[in-house]
Amino acid sequence: MTTNRAVAYKGPGKVEVIDTEYPTFELKDGPGVNPANVGRAVHHGVILKTVATNICGSDQHMVRGRTTAPVDLVLGHEITGEVIEVGRDVEFIKQGDIVSVPFNIACGRCRNCKEGKTGICLNVNPDRPGSAYGYVDMGGWVGGQAEYVLVPYADWNLLKFPDRDQALEKILDLTMLSDIFPTGFHGAVTAGVTVGSTVYIAGAGPVGLAAAASAQLLGAAVVIVGDLNEDRLAQARSFGVETVDVSKGDPRDQIEQLLGVPEVDCGVDAVGFEARAHGSKDAGEAPATVLNSLMQITAAGGALGIPGLYVTGDPGGIDEAAKVGSLSLSLGTGWAKSLSFTTGQCPVMKYNRRLMMAILHDKVQIAKAVNAKPIGLDEAPQGYQEFDAGAATKYVLNPNGYIAA
């Protein structure tokens, strides 16, 4: 029988590479699996041999102990793979295809999927709309930071790359299609970025950098990224982005120095619920800071794209309200300025094919923008530690040796 190895959450601050079961076309009980999903047949799925699978900031929230994730949950929702087994009911995806897997699992049959709202599919998570691989409260679908992984509804979910050799040559770019590139692009699109826009993006982690590259792709006149981490700000500057060091105070003053006015047309929150106060490198956590700041610096009539993660359960929250996702927002500011807000999971399939074409035809270098670095599966714990410490790097796991040295 084929073996499988995977990265699992082992408690706050700790991940390990473990031996785990090889996937089958039936959902089994395990850490985080919704009981209503146990025994569910997945004849519409495929089994992938993982080509690349990435460490994400959303994974890091769990690893820090900031969610209710159970011990031994297999992590990973940013998956690219080769199809090695095909379920009985799969019609169009074939063995040997190299494919990108949208991080949000969708059935393709429900009302939301038919309307393009694949981030809130109604049929894959018995508890709430929306699901993802290897993530707490998302139905218990096993994560993809592993040698092999099951993908359901394969004909619907998978984006097949047109040429195998070309895909493997550009794999560090194409692996970003599973999450952070569409997510950053969604943040920019929903913020209203277009030709000539001025844009402020809070957060210079991988999603923030992907949003910045996306804003450039969309024709923004000026893209500004704010963060506390100088290494990440330097990474943003490496591809032509202006930066703001929010440890020096309110970003309004620095934006005014750049633009001549203390506001932008479009705002993107790529930070989420672990936001810290502005004004100091050692500023404490203040989860509403980014949202309130964006409302202040976005021009009246503008929009905020909010791909940054906010949760309803945060055991590490700074107060009882924050522990249930209740934040002290200055909603009056947003109302008075007629601002629009878009939150929630990015519907990856809305964008991934177009972004794939941009990559394949050399219109964007997303791996360079986010400083992608391939590492072995056994190096995952170190990758998590370095990422948590603020490394300006997007770690790409290479569990089966597809990525050349």
Side-chain angles (χ1 to χ4, degrees):
M1 181 178 178
T2 305
T3 59
N4 193 17
R5 300 170 71 237
V7 180
Y9 171 64
K10 284 291 187 177
K14 188 176 183 181
V15 301
E16 289 181 5
V17 179
I18 64 169
D19 293 319
T20 188
E21 291 189 21
Y22 182 82
T24 68
F25 295 108
E26 179 181 310
L27 296 188
K28 299 180 181 179
D29 198 8
V33 176
N34 190 299
N37 266 349
V38 175
R40 186 170 179 169
V42 192
H43 299 303
H44 43 68
V46 298
I47 294 171
L48 299 183
K49 186 175 184 180
T50 304
V51 172
T53 176
N54 315 328
I55 297 175
C56 179
S58 298
D59 299 320
Q60 201 67 267
H61 291 307
M62 289 189 291
V63 172
R64 291 186 188 121
R66 296 300 297 267
T67 70
T68 55
V71 170
D72 287 330
L73 180 75
V74 173
L75 300 167
H77 56 271
E78 299 191 8
I79 308 162
T80 307
E82 178 177 5
V83 177
I84 59 169
E85 292 187 46
V86 178
R88 181 192 68 198
D89 298 335
V90 176
E91 187 174 1
F92 303 111
I93 294 294
K94 305 299 182 185
Q95 188 173 353
D97 288 346
I98 305 291
V99 294
S100 178
V101 185
F103 78 90
N104 29 38
I105 303 167
C107 72
R109 296 153 166 80
C110 71
R111 171 181 174 177
N112 284 350
C113 283
K114 289 180 179 180
E115 293 178 356
K117 302 171 185 174
T118 54
I120 43 174
C121 173
L122 300 173
N123 287 331
V124 287
N125 183 355
D127 283 341
R128 65 179 72 175
S131 190
Y133 303 89
Y135 214 85
V136 60
D137 297 331
M138 288 291 185
W141 298 86
V142 177
Q145 286 175 14
E147 293 171 325
Y148 302 94
V149 64
L150 170 70
V151 173
Y153 303 104
D155 283 325
W156 169 252
N157 279 303
L158 293 178
L159 175 67
K160 177 185 172 181
F161 299 137
D163 182 87
R164 178 189 180 91
D165 291 340
Q166 184 187 34
L168 292 177
E169 180 183 342
K170 292 181 176 289
I171 193 62
L172 285 181
D173 292 289
L174 293 171
T175 189
M176 305 305 163
L177 292 172
S178 57
D179 182 356
I180 67 162
F181 194 11
T183 293
F185 193 83
H186 180 63
V189 167
T190 55
V193 178
T194 187
V195 174
S197 297
T198 58
V199 187
Y200 177 73
I201 298 163
V207 170
L209 296 174
S214 298
Q216 291 176 329
L217 193 61
L218 289 163
V222 183
V223 182
I224 306 167
V225 171
D227 205 292
L228 297 155
N229 182 318
E230 178 51 38
D231 290 340
R232 291 183 171 182
L233 292 174
Q235 179 61 29
R237 290 191 292 272
S238 75
F239 60 101
V241 173
E242 302 286 352
T243 59
V244 162
D245 184 345
V246 297
S247 72
K248 297 179 179 177
D250 191 312
R252 286 170 59 91
D253 295 337
Q254 295 174 71
I255 289 171
E256 186 169 19
Q257 291 172 17
L258 291 167
L259 299 178
V261 292
E263 63 182 18
V264 292
D265 301 322
C266 314
V268 179
D269 174 2
V271 177
F273 72 103
E274 288 191 70
R276 290 158 61 187
H278 296 159
S280 169
K281 294 287 187 187
D282 301 316
E285 194 168 301
T289 297
V290 167
L291 291 171
N292 286 330
S293 174
L294 284 171
M295 283 189 278
Q296 290 179 345
I297 64 180
T298 302
L304 307 185
I306 309 174
L309 176 67
Y310 290 87
V311 295
T312 56
D314 174 14
I318 60 171
D319 54 36
E320 292 305 310
K323 289 178 181 179
V324 294
S326 181
L327 309 182
S328 297
L329 295 178
S330 180
L331 191 59
T333 300
W335 190 94
K337 297 176 74 174
S338 295
L339 299 176
S340 301
F341 302 79
T342 301
T343 65
Q345 289 188 34
C346 164
V348 170
M349 279 192 278
K350 185 174 182 178
Y351 309 108
N352 63 351
R353 185 189 175 278
R354 287 182 287 162
L355 296 176
M356 175 189 74
M357 295 300 288
I359 290 169
L360 294 179
H361 292 277
D362 299 317
K363 299 302 181 185
V364 65
Q365 294 181 302
I366 189 64
K368 184 177 180 181
V370 301
N371 193 26
K373 178 182 178 180
I375 60 175
L377 192 69
D378 288 316
E379 297 174 89
Q382 180 181 350
Y384 269 97
Q385 289 179 0
E386 292 177 2
F387 189 40
D388 190 47
T393 305
K394 178 66 174 178
Y395 291 97
V396 177
L397 302 183
N398 180 27
N400 289 302
Y402 283 86
I403 304 174

